[in-house]
Amino acid sequence: IVGSALPLVTLFGAVAAAVWVGGYQPAIVAAILGYVACAYWFIEPRGQLGLNQMGNVVGLAAYLFTCSLIIGIGEAMRLAQYRANQRGELLSVTLRSIGDAVITTDNEGRAATLNAVAESLTGWTEREAIGQSLDRVFCIVNETTRQPVENPATRALREGVVVGLANHTVLLKKGGGELPIDDSAAPIRDEQGHVTGCVLVFRDVSYQRGLERDKSSQLLTARLLASIVASSDDAIISKNLDGTIQSWNAAAERLFGYTAEQAVGRHISLVIPPERLSEEDLIISRLKAGERIEHFDTVRVRSDGRQVLVSLTISPIRDEQGTVVGASKIAR
């Protein structure tokens, strides 16, 4: 139909398709075979290559130049697409394997992707969430006031900065339930630096909050016990298994005449008469066996050398593994 004027033009599409699908090598083969076929069947004189004619040589040169451009540009685009696919696959694997929940959005704040952890924490599947406003998928309130909290992704998109979540933030799950969370949102920028979306990373901190509550409770208990010990009329002394005094309350100061500064850090033999030092070995051996010694009547010595009759109750102090590491003495 086109005669002998433009048969080579019909090959450019085949060369472009070949380089995109298979790379430059199949494209070179397509270009060469295509020219041979066109020269033999469509270009005058037909039935031969006709390279003895100047017009055909010029046409061949122009054809090869154009095919080189197509192959070069196509190969560059193909490699760029390959690298982009690799980066996308790497990002996908990273998001699937990361321990934190990750949600990405478009530049209008609509959910684009959710990893498995984000699906688990929010109650939304990725298929349900895609295209939804992030405020629906990621609904957060203040743990104390129960008032809505500004979505950090909104500010990250608006101001183009990394935004951390407020303290005591609670995520309301789809279908009911809630959990405390923390972390941050950051803008996603294109190669020109324009904000094209946002990535939101968050994690469940229920365990950490539980530890905080436990520590707070333990601190309150410790303060209460310290107040009881400080105000007790009985002398309360703690020591380690080596006999080194570790605490000494006000009643111990009154009973034995030593201040806490004078007693703490010294050996308990400070208040034991020399002839009764063997009692300490007996007490330590019973403590190591986990026994509690009640109403042990004995004699102790004051700082002024005067001896006093005392009744001791001695309890083992254990660490978190249950090992006896010291003793608590109550003397009256």
Side-chain angles (χ1 to χ4, degrees):
I1 295 174
V2 300
S4 61
L6 298 171
L8 297 179
V9 175
T10 62
L11 300 175
F12 295 146
V15 173
V19 71
W20 183 254
V21 174
Y24 73 91
Q25 292 175 329
I28 291 174
V29 173
I32 294 173
L33 292 181
Y35 178 82
V36 171
C38 282
Y40 191 81
W41 281 309
F42 304 117
I43 299 176
E44 297 294 342
R46 298 183 182 183
Q48 55 182 295
L49 293 180
L51 294 179
N52 56 344
Q53 299 182 16
M54 181 58 66
N56 290 343
V57 173
V58 173
L60 173 60
Y63 170 76
L64 293 177
F65 176 75
T66 304
C67 286
S68 297
L69 290 178
I70 293 174
I71 293 172
I73 295 172
E75 181 68 7
M77 293 176 62
R78 184 170 178 271
L79 289 176
Q81 182 65 36
Y82 174 74
R83 294 191 186 101
N85 290 340
Q86 279 192 320
R87 289 195 296 269
E89 181 63 23
L90 176 62
L91 177 61
S92 178
V93 171
T94 302
L95 292 182
R96 287 197 300 269
S97 61
I98 194 171
D100 290 339
V102 181
I103 300 177
T104 62
T105 74
D106 60 19
N107 60 357
E108 294 184 2
R110 294 187 296 261
T113 65
L114 282 78
N115 70 349
V117 181
E119 289 182 328
S120 173
L121 297 187
T122 63
W124 288 77
T125 65
E126 185 176 56
R127 179 177 297 180
E128 294 171 332
I130 290 177
Q132 297 287 341
S133 169
L134 189 60
D135 289 330
R136 291 193 62 196
V137 178
F138 185 73
C139 181
I140 52 177
V141 298
N142 182 274
E143 186 176 20
T144 304
T145 66
R146 312 302 298 179
Q147 294 299 311
V149 177
E150 182 185 22
N151 196 308
T154 303
R155 183 180 168 196
L157 287 170
R158 182 178 66 244
E159 301 179 13
V161 296
V162 176
V163 181
L165 296 183
N167 292 329
H168 304 293
T169 302
V170 172
L171 172 66
L172 303 182
K173 301 182 67 172
K174 180 184 179 184
E178 61 182 48
L179 50 89
I181 59 170
D182 71 4
D183 225 322
S184 62
I188 299 172
R189 299 181 184 273
D190 60 17
E191 293 179 354
Q192 287 73 42
H194 301 136
V195 175
T196 59
C198 176
V199 58
L200 177 67
V201 183
F202 57 99
R203 65 176 64 90
D204 181 1
V205 294
S206 300
Y207 178 72
Q208 291 88 333
R209 293 286 175 83
L211 290 180
E212 290 174 3
R213 287 191 292 268
D214 289 344
K215 288 181 179 178
S216 177
S217 176
Q218 290 171 2
L219 181 59
L220 180 61
T221 301
R223 287 175 176 170
L224 177 61
L225 290 175
S227 298
I228 293 173
V229 169
S231 61
S232 174
D233 289 331
D234 292 332
I236 300 178
I237 304 165
S238 68
K239 64 179 183 179
N240 61 25
L241 293 181
D242 294 332
T244 302
I245 299 169
Q246 295 179 312
S247 68
W248 187 271
N249 72 344
E253 292 183 353
R254 293 191 296 270
L255 178 60
F256 296 112
Y258 295 99
T259 65
E261 289 77 11
Q262 293 171 324
V264 173
R266 298 182 65 179
H267 195 270
I268 195 65
S269 59
L270 177 70
V271 294
I272 302 176
E275 67 273 14
R276 291 183 176 270
L277 286 176
S278 59
E279 293 178 355
E280 181 66 10
D281 295 332
L282 175 62
I283 289 171
I284 293 298
S285 64
R286 293 179 63 180
L287 287 172
K288 288 182 176 179
E291 295 184 34
R292 185 171 185 265
I293 303 168
E294 297 188 22
H295 309 303
F296 180 78
D297 295 334
T298 186
V299 175
R300 292 293 180 258
V301 64
R302 288 173 45 84
S303 61
D304 57 10
R306 183 166 58 89
Q307 292 190 345
V308 291
L309 297 175
V310 296
S311 177
L312 303 178
T313 296
I314 309 166
S315 302
I317 299 174
R318 302 177 185 273
D319 61 15
E320 294 179 352
Q321 288 73 41
T323 304
V324 176
V325 293
S328 173
K329 287 187 175 183
I330 298 176
R332 64 179 65 89

